[in-house]
């Protein structure tokens, strides 16, 4: 049996899973469930202790790309497979999100909004895409497509990953020793990394200081990867040119936090790339079938690597 636990649209998810897996029993929170029959769980932000209910649990399917909130949970036994979404429609949304931040910055739309408030008709100098060096941190299912999309649009794009990658039109670097030099050549930084022991605190005050004056920072990975206070100091002092943040260490970002008042920071409530139910249910169904058949499963999380 597949047990589905989602924060909203439960009926829609259940219908999609039942259609995609007609030969498997699918149940949700509202159903009477024999916990001993549950072998699979598909979930997003499930309550603590949920997995402990199911003594025959074999695999958990995360209905998102990041699994940081699931890893390390005491109720997720080491022998249970953890499988995440790979793209499933999120990469295109992320490319839109990053492109929006880039265009606002590059084409000076904030300045024009301020000029409109003042009734001012005044063309401003702007950089061509070919002059804005973009670095994408994380070249996985999502970051790789973001980098590829931006390169096709004419930005000089560099990408950074843990292991070597090759993407057409993208200068690919890898490993921690390559990062500092790369930041020094970055006008716009887009962070699309998983939250792991290695990426937490990655972009700290020192590394923000390596970015050229006036740089833009976009973080859509996880809030833990960026020193928010150092970013705000950089924006307040005018050393950094702008920022667009979708993720925060504490979500929702607390009311009254100084970040809300920084005029060059644009905040979105963790919506850069939303899980799309239809392609996600299809992907989970395919992964579940592969898992049961003993075939390689796309999106299988390496519990040691933590992504
Ligand atoms: P993937 O696992 O497909 O890719 C992760 C990328 O990060 C890989 O290129 C990987 O390197 C790289 N990476 C991991 N650790 C390091 C490290 N220590 N140093 C350098 N590079 C590293 O993940 P996705 O692309 O699917 O998703 C990335 C993240 O985006 C998610 O984990 C989640 O946190 C975030 N996300 C945010 C959303 C939002 O709405 N804000 C929506 C969806 C995802 P390598 O290629 O060598 O493995
Ligand atoms: C994800 C997210 O990881 O939405 O999928 O943050």
């Amino acid at each position: 049996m597949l047990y589905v636990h989602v924060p909203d649209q439960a009926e829609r998810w259940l219908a999609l899973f039942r259609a995609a897996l007609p030969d498997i029993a699918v149940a949700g929170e509202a159903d009477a469930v024999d916990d001993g029959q549950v072998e699979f769980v598909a979930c997003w932000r499930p309550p603590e202790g949920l997995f402990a209910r199911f003594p025959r649990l074999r695999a958990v399917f995360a209905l998102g790309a990041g699994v940081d909130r699931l890893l390390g949970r005491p109720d997720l036994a080491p022998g249970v497979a953890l499988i995440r979404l790979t793209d499933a429609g999120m990469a295109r949304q992320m490319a839109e999100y990053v492109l929006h931040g880039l265009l606002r910055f590059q084409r000076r739309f904030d300045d024009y909004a301020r000029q409109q408030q003042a009734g001012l008709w005044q063309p401003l100098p702007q950089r061509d895409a070919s002059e804005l060096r973009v670095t994408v941190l994380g070249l996985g299912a999502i970051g790789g497509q973001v980098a590829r999309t931006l390169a096709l649009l004419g930005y000089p794009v560099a990408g950074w990953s843990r292991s070597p990658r090759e993407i057409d039109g993208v200068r690919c670097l890898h490993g921690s020793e390559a990062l500092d030099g790369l930041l020094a050549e970055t006008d716009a930084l887009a962070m699309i990394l998983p939250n792991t022991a290695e990426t937490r605190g990655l972009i700290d005050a020192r590394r923000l200081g390596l970015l050229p004056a006036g740089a833009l920072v976009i973080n859509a990975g996880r809030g833990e990867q960026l020193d928010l206070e150092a970013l705000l100091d950089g924006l307040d002092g005018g050393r950094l040119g702008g920022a667009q943040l979708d993720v925060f260490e504490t979500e929702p970002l607390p009311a009254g936090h100084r970040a809300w008042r920084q005029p060059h920071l644009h905040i979105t409530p963790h919506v850069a790339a939303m899980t799309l139910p239809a392609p996600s249910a299809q992907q989970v169904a395919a992964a579940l079938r592969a898992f049961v058949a003993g075939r390689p499963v796309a999106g299988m999380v390496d519990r040691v690597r933590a992504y």
Side-chain angles (χ1 to χ4, degrees):
M1 177 182 285
L2 170 68
Y3 183 81
V4 181
H5 192 288
V6 285
D8 49 32
Q9 298 189 70
E11 285 310 316
R12 178 152 183 229
W13 279 102
L14 287 170
L16 286 165
F17 279 124
R18 286 182 178 128
L21 294 163
D23 45 341
I24 288 183
V26 176
E29 272 182 275
D31 299 310
V33 174
D34 174 356
D35 289 351
Q37 296 302 309
V38 173
E39 291 179 277
F40 306 105
V41 171
C43 59
W44 186 240
R45 303 202 172 128
E48 290 293 335
L50 177 75
F51 306 136
R53 272 177 50 189
F54 310 123
R56 292 179 55 217
L57 187 61
R58 296 169 64 193
V60 169
F61 297 87
L63 297 176
V67 289
D68 48 324
R69 305 287 188 261
L70 293 174
L71 285 163
R73 276 175 58 130
D75 58 336
L76 187 65
V80 174
L82 179 58
I83 296 148
R84 68 185 190 88
L85 294 179
T86 60
D87 180 2
M90 287 186 281
R92 186 181 50 76
Q93 296 176 68
M94 192 63 87
E96 292 168 353
Y97 183 84
V98 172
L99 182 60
H100 175 84
L102 277 183
L103 288 175
R104 174 160 53 196
F105 177 70
Q106 175 205 341
R107 299 296 304 270
R108 307 197 58 175
F109 292 132
D110 285 343
D111 294 321
Y112 287 123
R114 277 188 281 275
Q115 289 191 177
Q116 183 176 347
Q117 294 296 319
L120 185 62
W121 180 281
Q122 175 65 61
L124 299 169
Q126 68 187 29
R127 274 184 284 188
D128 188 71
S130 63
E131 298 166 321
L132 199 73
R133 297 166 298 176
V134 181
T135 291
V136 179
L137 302 186
L139 294 177
I142 298 177
Q145 189 161 320
V146 171
R148 199 174 295 112
T149 304
L150 298 177
L152 285 171
L153 289 171
Y155 294 95
V157 181
W160 184 72
S161 53
R162 206 167 76 114
S163 55
R165 292 266 172 174
E166 277 185 29
I167 300 175
D168 275 354
V170 177
R171 185 164 70 100
C172 294
L173 293 94
H174 66 277
S176 53
E177 54 298 336
L179 182 58
D180 287 3
L182 183 55
L183 292 175
E185 301 169 354
T186 296
D187 301 311
L189 182 68
M191 301 169 60
I192 310 164
L193 287 162
N195 188 18
T196 69
E198 287 178 13
T199 64
R200 273 190 281 286
L202 185 76
I203 303 300
D204 56 8
R206 184 187 71 78
R207 287 201 165 115
L208 284 171
L210 296 174
L211 292 168
L216 169 75
V217 176
I218 297 174
N219 187 12
R222 287 290 183 265
E224 288 85 345
Q225 296 154 355
L226 174 68
D227 183 335
L228 179 58
E229 293 302 322
L231 178 92
L232 291 169
D233 290 346
L235 292 170
D236 289 350
R239 217 197 74 76
L240 292 172
Q244 176 173 291
L245 302 183
D246 188 53
V247 288
F248 295 85
E249 204 162 347
T250 305
E251 295 181 2
L253 179 67
H257 195 288
R258 65 187 269 230
W260 289 111
R261 297 185 301 279
Q262 167 39 250
H264 300 291
L265 168 61
H266 295 277
I267 294 172
T268 48
H270 203 140
V271 292
M274 318 268 274
T275 296
L276 303 177
S280 303
Q282 287 294 334
Q283 191 175 99
V284 169
L288 193 151
R289 288 191 192 290
F291 181 84
V292 169
R295 288 187 269 113
V297 180
M300 180 67 76
V301 174
D302 177 333
R303 303 269 296 260
V304 175
R305 205 179 60 164
Y307 68 98

